[in-house]
Amino acid sequence: MSTSRTIGVALLGLGNVGGGVVKLLAENAEAIEARLGARIEVRAIAVRDPDKANRVVDVDKKLLSTDVDSVIARDDIDLVCELIGGTTEAKRVVLAAISHGKQIVTANKALLAEHGAEVFGAAEAAGVDVYYEAAVCGGVPIIRVLREGLASDRVEALWGIVNGTSNYILSTMTETHGEFAAILADAQRLGYAEADPTLDIGGGDAAHKLAILASLCFGTTVDVSQIPTFGIDSVAPIDLTYAEKFGYVIKPLVIARDHGEAIEARVHPALVPANWLLADVNGAKNAVYVQSYALGPSMYYGAGAGMLPTAMSVVSDIIEIGRNIYARRAGGARPQRPRPVAQRPLLPMADIRSKYYLRFGVVDQPGVLGQLMTVLGAHHVSIEQVVQDTKSKDPVHVVVLTHEAREGDVKQALYVIDKLNVVKGPAQILRIAG
Ligand SMILES: NC(=O)c1ccc[n+]([C@@H]2O[C@H](COP(=O)([O-])OP(=O)(O)OC[C@H]3O[C@@H](n4cnc5c(N)ncnc54)[C@H](OP(=O)(O)O)[C@@H]3O)[C@@H](O)[C@H]2O)c1
């Protein structure tokens, strides 16, 4: 442990985020020391390949090591900052660092969403803190807002755009009326999307972040594998056009709501009213709109990824833990309290209530509309608006906006409708936020 007014830090990883952390700590060293009353010293950096060329920052080669276990065991390391990603090695090294009594900062949403209970449990038992601001929405300090800013409030619901790649693709499709596959290929060329974009466009990355947000908001453990998750790849350009005609924009949303006995958490593209603040969150930007009892609505917006925005969150966590370390040494109570957890189940998707956008492809003959309406009505799905697009041919598009209905009822109605011989192909179903 450091004895002077310094905090000894080990970085695990010197990639995009790790490089940004080194850069920010160096560039802002004076201001950080003034704010913390102590110096933060990076004393070791674990990497896979110490000889790698073209790192985002130059570091003293003597700091680099491939021996992660020796790095985290060093006496002069107070805080271990996990920036390697993934869940297997990251989990192993974080638990090992905790067992050595090290404070933890991580940017790893997958680790916390999948193994949060184990990591926080081990940290609690060892009396160390785990900070993870960068794990959700990169540079947007949403974790701090939920943990501290709204500590006296009660979150009722939240809606978030937490995956920049999906938001970039849907925003660009809306703007250019382009096809999903072509825009995804552009996004990969521009570096907005990974070579394997499955986690982003399939909603898995957003589900990880939602599990973390919902657990924090509602004081329960949300099992990420139980979150209903739908990607953006089913959204066709024609849906964006119809949505616009009805006064909506389609956004990749995460939604969480407190139902008392149960928690609602879901990930899917949704029609957002064009006059909502979230409708204006475009490109790769992230935002979370929170509805809480005392404050009412509030929104948090900014860069959800990138070297410096993400590193900024990591370094702020390091400073916060630095303060905690000095508070403890001065005999103060442990500043970060254990997370209160009362297990509550997730509401099954069939029981959620929402308004729906339904698009049917039908043959051009009289009476078809009536058949669709009859089936929907028989399943308690009432209609707000219907448009039969007379310009569309083979199939003719019928677009229906429903009043609020139960998802299970809508799905059963679609099951019946899809089998009608006047219907060509499965119906498109999108949920409407609100
Ligand atoms: N990039 C973003 O904008 C962003 C935003 C929010 C959160 N995050 C999260 O931040 C974390 C890091 O992301 P990144 O973009 O910085 O990743 P990255 O560029 O791929 O960097 C990963 C780093 O970890 C090192 N590493 C990997 N496995 C290792 C091992 N077994 N032992 C030692 N070092 C190992 C690599 O070493 P070598 O350099 O030698 O290969 C590399 O320096 C991830 O959890 C990610 O989800 C990233």
Side-chain angles (χ1 to χ4, degrees), residues 12-19 46-50 52 55 65-66 68 82-86 89 106-110 134-138 205 209 304-307 310:
L12 311 184
L14 186 62
N16 221 358
V17 182
V47 291
R48 266 179 309 212
D49 174 9
K52 197 179 209 175
R55 290 203 178 270
S65 166
T66 54
V68 186
E82 184 276 308
L83 302 169
I84 63 182
E89 179 65 355
T106 178
N108 193 330
K109 65 223 109 180
V136 182
C137 297
D205 173 80
K209 292 166 181 166
M307 179 175 85
T310 310

Side-chain angles (χ1 to χ4, degrees), residues 36 103 124 127-131 147-148 151 317-340:
L36 175 59
Q103 311 296 320
E124 184 48 30
V128 302
D129 292 334
V130 178
Y131 276 63
R147 203 184 54 219
E148 293 169 20
D317 278 352
I318 295 174
I319 294 171
E320 195 67 31
I321 287 193
R323 290 198 182 110
N324 295 354
I325 289 172
Y326 284 106
R328 283 198 186 100
R329 282 184 199 166
R334 190 176 160 202
Q336 192 185 48
R337 304 302 307 148
R339 303 190 322 160

Side-chain angles (χ1 to χ4, degrees), residues 132 140 147 192 234 239 299 348 351 367-368 379 397 405 417 428:
Y132 51 97
V140 183
R147 203 184 54 219
Y192 290 136
S234 66
D239 296 317
M299 191 167 106
D351 288 338
V368 173
H379 289 84
H397 290 150
I417 288 173
Q428 169 67 301

Side-chain angles (χ1 to χ4, degrees), residues 152-164:
S152 59
D153 207 344
R154 190 180 75 241
V155 175
E156 295 165 335
L158 66 80
W159 294 259
I161 295 173
V162 300
N163 183 269

Side-chain angles (χ1 to χ4, degrees), residues 10-181:
L11 298 183
L12 311 184
L14 186 62
N16 221 358
V17 182
V21 169
V22 170
K23 186 172 157 66
L24 215 52
L25 281 173
E27 286 176 359
N28 289 354
E30 235 171 77
I32 290 170
E33 186 166 351
R35 283 172 199 151
L36 175 59
R39 218 156 17 109
I40 294 170
E41 278 182 12
V42 175
R43 293 184 173 149
I45 305 175
V47 291
R48 266 179 309 212
D49 174 9
D51 299 318
K52 197 179 209 175
N54 303 323
R55 290 203 178 270
V56 294
V57 284
D58 289 328
V59 294
D60 182 348
K61 277 257 174 133
K62 289 202 287 288
L63 291 174
L64 299 182
S65 166
T66 54
D67 186 352
V68 186
D69 293 288
S70 302
V71 164
I72 58 181
R74 275 171 53 166
D75 283 344
D76 62 342
I77 299 298
D78 302 293
L79 186 158
V80 168
C81 196
E82 184 276 308
L83 302 169
I84 63 182
T87 50
T88 311
E89 179 65 355
K91 178 181 158 198
R92 189 190 72 76
V93 296
V94 164
L95 291 176
I98 289 171
S99 75
H100 287 293
K102 309 302 182 191
Q103 311 296 320
I104 305 291
V105 173
T106 178
N108 193 330
K109 65 223 109 180
L111 171 68
L112 296 181
E114 290 176 22
H115 306 290
E118 196 176 344
V119 169
F120 289 115
E124 184 48 30
V128 302
D129 292 334
V130 178
Y131 276 63
Y132 51 97
E133 185 62 72
V136 182
C137 297
V140 183
I142 185 65
I143 300 297
R144 201 156 269 117
V145 163
L146 295 173
R147 203 184 54 219
E148 293 169 20
L150 298 178
S152 59
D153 207 344
R154 190 180 75 241
V155 175
E156 295 165 335
L158 66 80
W159 294 259
I161 295 173
V162 300
N163 183 269
T165 307
S166 297
N167 198 34
Y168 172 84
I169 292 173
L170 284 185
S171 304
T172 311
M173 283 174 76
T174 304
E175 212 174 283
T176 63
H177 303 282
E179 289 287 341
F180 176 85

